[in-house]
Amino acid sequence: MVMLPPAKPRSARPRPRRPSISDPTRERLIDCAGPIFADRGFQATTIREISTVAGENVAAIHYHFGDKLGLYSEVVLRSTRAAQVDAIRSALAQQAPPDQILRAVIRARLQSLNRRDLPDWHFRILLHEFASPTPALGQVVEHVGRPIFLRVLDLIGGMLGLPPTDERTRLCAISVMGQIIAYVFATPLLAGVWPELKMTPEQVERIATHIGDFSLAYIQTFRAQHQALEPQPVSPAARNGLRQFEKKSTSTASLRTTP
């Protein structure tokens, strides 16, 4: 009897084609899917709608991305360009004093407010994803968010004099991020409470300077207080004087106990 090898189980999700550096069909699908996903969200969007707008058939989406989630994940990752990720990485990699690096990171992230070379769907799709997370958010965190956050923890922890895993380091890092996010994602709210605010390059620079000043003031105050509470090294002269004092105190105590 001839024994045939067991059949390999079929994958429930088709394997996407390995991306090509210059594939016009793939790029067109991403460009057409972005605005649709940003307008309707992941659940309400159909791959047939995207393929129609792109002038391709549905099989092209399966061929390049596997399924709708594969296409959506690629679109979300592509949208991180709006967050100035490359500029933030460059700022973190520079050789400069820590306070200058932190200011450069803040400034780089806020520069997205002045980017006119990217359509606004890059921002809107991220808002959709934050409001109704899909598995694509995990990829953004894994490939973009976590590596940058760990670098920021190292930077701020060094300035605080604390390990990057210390809770106070994390709180401080998230506080800096929160100030930035308030301007990046709360623009409609800011327009209501501060209608005079116009995000000109000069205004964005003033905001970046303020966030840097505000954050560094706390970091410097904390570091000064933290150092004041740390045991200070004892100089040889002070150590010798302490020994003499202890010796004298011991001799005096002995005399008092001698009958």
Side-chain angles (χ1 to χ4, degrees):
M1 180 181 294
V2 179
M3 298 296 295
L4 297 175
K8 295 182 179 180
R10 298 182 62 183
S11 174
R13 178 178 175 181
R15 178 177 296 178
R17 176 176 177 266
R18 180 169 296 181
S20 172
I21 296 176
S22 56
D23 193 318
T25 300
R26 177 185 172 86
E27 293 302 312
R28 185 164 57 254
L29 287 169
I30 293 174
D31 291 339
C32 293
I36 300 173
F37 280 130
D39 289 337
R40 306 185 60 177
F42 174 72
Q43 296 296 339
T45 299
T46 66
I47 57 175
R48 184 168 299 279
E49 179 181 7
I50 295 171
S51 62
T52 300
V53 173
E56 300 288 344
N57 55 41
V58 173
I61 294 178
H62 293 298
Y63 178 70
H64 288 279
F65 305 99
D67 56 13
K68 184 174 77 168
L69 179 59
L71 172 57
Y72 179 76
S73 298
E74 184 63 33
V75 171
V76 171
L77 283 172
R78 186 72 62 88
S79 294
T80 60
R81 293 186 304 172
Q84 297 289 90
V85 171
D86 290 338
I88 294 172
R89 288 171 177 155
S90 298
L92 287 166
Q94 65 180 314
Q95 299 296 322
D99 59 321
Q100 293 184 21
I101 295 177
L102 182 61
R103 289 185 183 276
V105 169
I106 295 169
R107 186 174 295 107
R109 182 61 188 90
L110 287 172
Q111 289 303 315
S112 65
L113 296 172
N114 289 133
R115 291 204 63 172
R116 297 181 175 86
D117 58 327
L118 287 175
D120 67 345
W121 68 258
H122 287 269
F123 300 94
R124 292 188 288 112
I125 197 170
L126 292 176
L127 290 175
H128 264 296
E129 187 60 24
F130 293 154
S132 301
T134 71
L137 184 60
Q139 295 189 35
V140 173
V141 171
E142 185 66 26
H143 297 292
V144 180
R146 182 176 290 113
I148 290 177
F149 185 59
L150 292 176
R151 295 287 299 279
V152 172
L153 287 177
D154 284 333
L155 175 67
I156 292 180
M159 289 190 286
L160 291 172
L162 296 172
T165 54
D166 191 281
E167 182 183 278
R168 291 164 293 182
T169 303
R170 295 178 185 274
L171 289 172
C172 190
I174 293 174
S175 293
V176 176
M177 293 167 54
Q179 294 178 78
I180 298 171
I181 290 172
Y183 288 97
V184 174
F185 291 112
T187 304
L189 175 62
L190 291 175
V193 299
W194 189 2
E196 299 83 10
L197 178 64
K198 306 299 180 184
M199 290 301 179
T200 63
E202 295 76 18
Q203 181 64 58
V204 171
E205 179 62 27
R206 287 194 293 272
I207 292 171
T209 299
H210 167 76
I211 294 176
D213 291 345
F214 196 85
S215 303
L216 288 169
Y218 171 79
I219 291 172
Q220 292 162 359
T221 300
F222 178 92
R223 182 61 184 262
Q225 294 174 347
H226 189 65
Q227 288 179 332
L229 296 175
E230 292 177 347
Q232 299 300 314
V234 181
S235 65
R239 189 179 298 109
N240 184 58
L242 180 59
R243 289 199 193 100
Q244 295 296 328
F245 175 77
E246 291 174 344
K247 183 177 180 180
K248 183 177 180 180
S249 299
T250 302
S251 299
T252 303
S254 299
L255 290 174
R256 288 177 179 174
T257 57
T258 303

